[in-house]
Amino acid sequence: MNDTLYLKKDYHRAELYIDIPFYGQKENLVLEAQIDSTTDKKWNVIGDDRVLVLEKLPSGSHVLYIRSWIGNGKYTYKTLSFYIQPYFYETVWFRILTGAIIITTMVAVIRWSYRRFSTQKK
């Protein structure tokens, strides 16, 4: 069972609607969210509309943690894994290919300059 949300590489904004039952007043519902890949590890409060907006996240795997206050200082937690597809230039294969091209070009230039300047002295 794969519970991962896949986002395309050209996504700009993803809105997650959180549907949770609440009994009584909507104002008593306290929802907070945290994404594990961000630098600040603080919990962000989700508003009364219960919409979480994901913007400007780097490509790769992320885990979203959502917690709901149930009283007496206790929370219930839910997690959602999602993956943002990288562009071609962000992949490992592109970096390997670019490195190989740069090294090959440097070796070719060094060999060419060595042969050219070593034949001129004779």
Side-chain angles (χ1 to χ4, degrees):
M1 192 158 130
N2 193 358
D3 293 334
T4 303
L5 176 66
Y6 291 94
L7 298 174
K8 294 196 179 272
K9 57 187 162 196
D10 58 349
Y11 98 101
H12 297 289
R13 179 183 172 117
E15 293 182 357
L16 298 174
Y17 296 96
I18 300 168
D19 189 21
I20 185 171
F22 59 92
Y23 305 102
Q25 295 179 345
K26 186 167 69 169
E27 292 80 24
N28 291 337
L29 184 63
V30 178
L31 290 173
E32 297 174 330
Q34 177 187 45
I35 298 177
D36 70 340
S37 61
T38 58
T39 56
D40 60 341
K41 296 289 185 182
K42 66 178 197 167
W43 289 92
N44 298 319
V45 177
I46 299 173
D48 289 338
D49 55 355
R50 294 180 287 174
V51 175
L52 180 65
V53 179
L54 301 175
E55 291 180 313
K56 301 177 185 174
L57 290 173
S59 60
S61 297
H62 304 281
V63 178
L64 172 68
Y65 299 99
I66 299 174
R67 71 180 184 180
S68 174
W69 185 65
I70 56 175
N72 297 331
K74 296 181 183 177
Y75 291 91
T76 181
Y77 294 86
K78 296 293 179 184
T79 60
L80 173 67
S81 299
F82 60 97
Y83 179 78
I84 300 172
Q85 182 183 15
Y87 285 101
F88 174 71
Y89 57 85
E90 295 175 333
T91 61
V92 174
W93 287 109
F94 179 78
R95 292 178 183 163
I96 291 171
L97 180 65
T98 304
I101 290 172
I102 289 171
I103 290 172
T104 304
T105 304
M106 288 175 57
V107 167
V109 167
I110 291 170
R111 291 177 109 195
W112 173 78
S113 64
Y114 179 74
R115 286 182 183 165
R116 180 171 179 185
F117 293 119
S118 66
T119 57
Q120 289 179 354
K121 292 182 181 179
K122 292 182 182 179

